[in-house]
Amino acid sequence: MNIFVPGRLCIFGEHSDWAGGYRHLNPELKIGYTLLVGTNQGLYAEVKPHPNQLILSTSLSDGTRKTMTLPMEKQALLSEAIKGGFFSYAAGVVYQFLVKLQTPLGGIEIDNYLTDLPIQKGLSSSAAICVLVARAFNQVYDLKMPIQEEMEFAYLGEITTPSRCGRMDQACAYGNRAIAMKFDGDRTDIVELSVPKDLFFVIVDLGASKNTQVILRKLNECYPFASNAIQANVQKYLGSISYQITQAAIEAMQTGDAQQIGTLMKQAQIEFDKHLIPACPEELTAPVLHQLLNYEPIQPYILGGKGVGSQGDGTAQFVVKDKENQQKVIEIIERDFPQMQCLQLTIYAEKSS
């Protein structure tokens, strides 16, 4: 069987998944709300059953190959998962299948023969591998799981590792389509969105560095109850401000209004910087990100831009009017910033049947 799982781009509402999750401890907090889309790039794999082992071979985006073989035993899988490291995500997902499913499972062989998604750049490459493993078991053993159950196993597998992702990352299970997710305590609601015309984005790996763990630790310190003005501002942005901007962006997307999406991106970045940089200035000041967002030569070709994922100097995104502008922005950035790498992202209009 062949499986493709894309990465995931959070267009609006970053951090609001875990922030909304704190509502079960503090009901005064606002619901989290995100707008997400699967990338055009991802992980390609061939999968087949194996009698008693998990065999995972992966091809990284630079072409190098790695292979892991583990017995289908809870302790071996758990040990690999909690070590962290490259193969921990797959081991965590398989461990969860063994723990949660009543029916005994055989093993699985997964050959991830091609990866064209940048790793550790805010595009949920770790969630993509988790969804890939969950989907492989679902299809090989005909478990008849709906997408949301695949996502749940992928999420449980990822948090078995040292990773502290929120629940939005597994949205890559929906493929290359836009979805909205709401996070209210332990409850997650998903709405599949349709767009009336193609929307064009440019994703930019800034070729710099950031520490996502530090960002998440500093921002999580602001929850569930704020003890000072900085923490109150973090809760305000990740609550009501982010919610309103995301709601407006969803409306703009469903009418195909790229200009409005661009305006909202600029607004979101201004508010993010004002409310969140003081909580983690060492990572969120992000000089490389802001240099690119404000870079004069690309301004005629973009409608707006903002940071991606946890923000910091990891990845930027821009919305543009059409394919020609998409190409022009990529040419300028790759010419003037050789350390940066650009990806095209097109959200395709729903084809009327």
Side-chain angles (χ1 to χ4, degrees):
M1 294 182 182
N2 281 287
I3 297 176
F4 169 73
V5 178
R8 176 284 291 138
L9 178 71
C10 176
I11 306 178
F12 289 90
E14 60 273 11
H15 294 297
S16 74
D17 54 344
W18 60 258
Y22 278 109
R23 277 175 52 79
H24 73 283
L25 296 172
N26 178 5
E28 298 295 310
L29 294 168
K30 300 292 186 257
I31 290 170
Y33 203 9
T34 61
L35 173 57
L36 309 141
V37 67
T39 58
N40 301 148
Q41 303 76 20
L43 312 180
Y44 298 78
E46 289 180 348
V47 301
K48 60 185 179 185
H50 187 280
N52 53 18
Q53 289 183 322
L54 163 65
I55 301 175
L56 173 62
S57 301
T58 65
S59 297
L60 304 184
S61 46
D62 64 4
T64 55
R65 296 271 293 170
K66 292 185 175 189
T67 300
M68 169 187 73
T69 302
L70 284 172
M72 289 290 288
E73 296 167 4
K74 290 178 191 173
Q75 196 49 54
L77 293 161
L78 181 59
S79 296
E80 183 66 34
I82 60 181
K83 268 193 333 204
F86 186 79
F87 287 110
S88 63
Y89 301 105
V93 176
V94 181
Y95 169 77
Q96 291 294 337
F97 269 93
L98 291 188
V99 169
K100 299 245 182 287
L101 283 190
Q102 302 307 312
T103 47
L105 285 179
I108 200 158
E109 195 169 337
I110 301 172
D111 179 12
N112 164 216
Y113 60 85
L114 173 65
T115 298
D116 59 3
L117 179 74
I119 305 297
Q120 294 180 319
K121 295 298 177 184
L123 300 175
S124 288
S125 54
S126 57
I129 193 77
C130 290
V131 169
L132 172 62
V133 173
R135 185 158 291 167
F137 271 99
N138 191 17
Q139 293 190 5
V140 164
Y141 289 101
D142 195 25
L143 300 175
K144 297 182 171 55
M145 288 179 178
I147 289 177
Q148 283 198 252
E149 199 171 349
E150 287 182 347
M151 288 172 68
E152 181 67 13
F153 272 100
Y155 171 72
L156 293 172
E158 183 154 359
I159 62 168
T160 306
T161 77
S163 169
R164 285 293 159 260
C165 69
R167 286 181 175 271
M168 78 163 87
D169 293 0
Q170 289 72 32
C172 56
Y174 279 86
N176 177 233
R177 68 170 306 153
I179 66 168
M181 296 179 77
K182 285 187 178 180
F183 308 94
D184 182 357
D186 294 328
R187 180 190 167 101
T188 304
D189 292 317
I190 299 173
V191 180
E192 297 182 55
L193 306 175
S194 58
V195 297
K197 58 186 185 186
D198 294 354
L199 293 168
F200 301 91
F201 297 80
V202 176
I203 309 169
V204 187
D205 172 353
L206 297 172
S209 64
K210 69 168 187 177
N211 190 324
T212 302
Q213 282 75 25
V214 169
I215 296 170
L216 287 171
R217 189 180 76 244
K218 289 290 188 76
L219 296 182
N220 272 274
E221 285 170 3
C222 305
Y223 287 82
F225 299 97
S227 57
N228 57 44
I230 288 175
Q231 294 185 352
N233 272 334
V234 169
Q235 292 188 5
K236 182 180 176 186
Y237 176 76
L238 295 181
S240 57
I241 297 173
S242 178
Y243 190 101
Q244 287 163 7
I245 292 173
T246 302
Q247 179 61 49
I250 288 166
E251 290 165 9
M253 184 165 281
Q254 291 187 295
T255 57
D257 190 345
Q259 184 83 50
Q260 174 68 350
I261 292 170
T263 301
L264 290 164
M265 279 189 175
K266 294 177 195 170
Q267 182 189 344
Q269 190 65 51
I270 289 167
E271 296 287 353
F272 183 100
D273 292 348
K274 176 181 162 188
H275 291 86
L276 268 67
I277 287 177
C280 186
E282 65 272 37
E283 291 293 333
L284 296 180
T285 302
V288 181
L289 170 67
H290 289 89
Q291 179 192 10
L292 185 64
L293 292 178
N294 299 314
Y295 190 54
E296 206 52 54
I298 64 172
Q299 300 307 316
Y301 307 103
I302 64 170
L303 301 172
K306 64 185 284 293
V308 169
S310 57
Q311 290 237 16
D313 276 337
T315 306
Q317 59 179 327
F318 298 98
V319 62
V320 297
K321 189 175 77 174
D322 52 31
K323 202 162 191 56
E324 289 71 34
N325 284 359
Q326 192 180 45
Q327 206 49 53
K328 189 70 184 165
V329 170
I330 290 172
E331 281 171 19
I332 294 170
I333 292 173
E334 292 190 341
R335 179 195 71 203
D336 295 354
F337 300 96
Q339 77 279 19
M340 296 185 184
Q341 181 190 354
C342 297
L343 297 175
Q344 296 181 15
L345 170 65
T346 304
I347 303 176
Y348 294 102
E350 298 290 303
K351 292 181 174 61
S352 49
S353 47

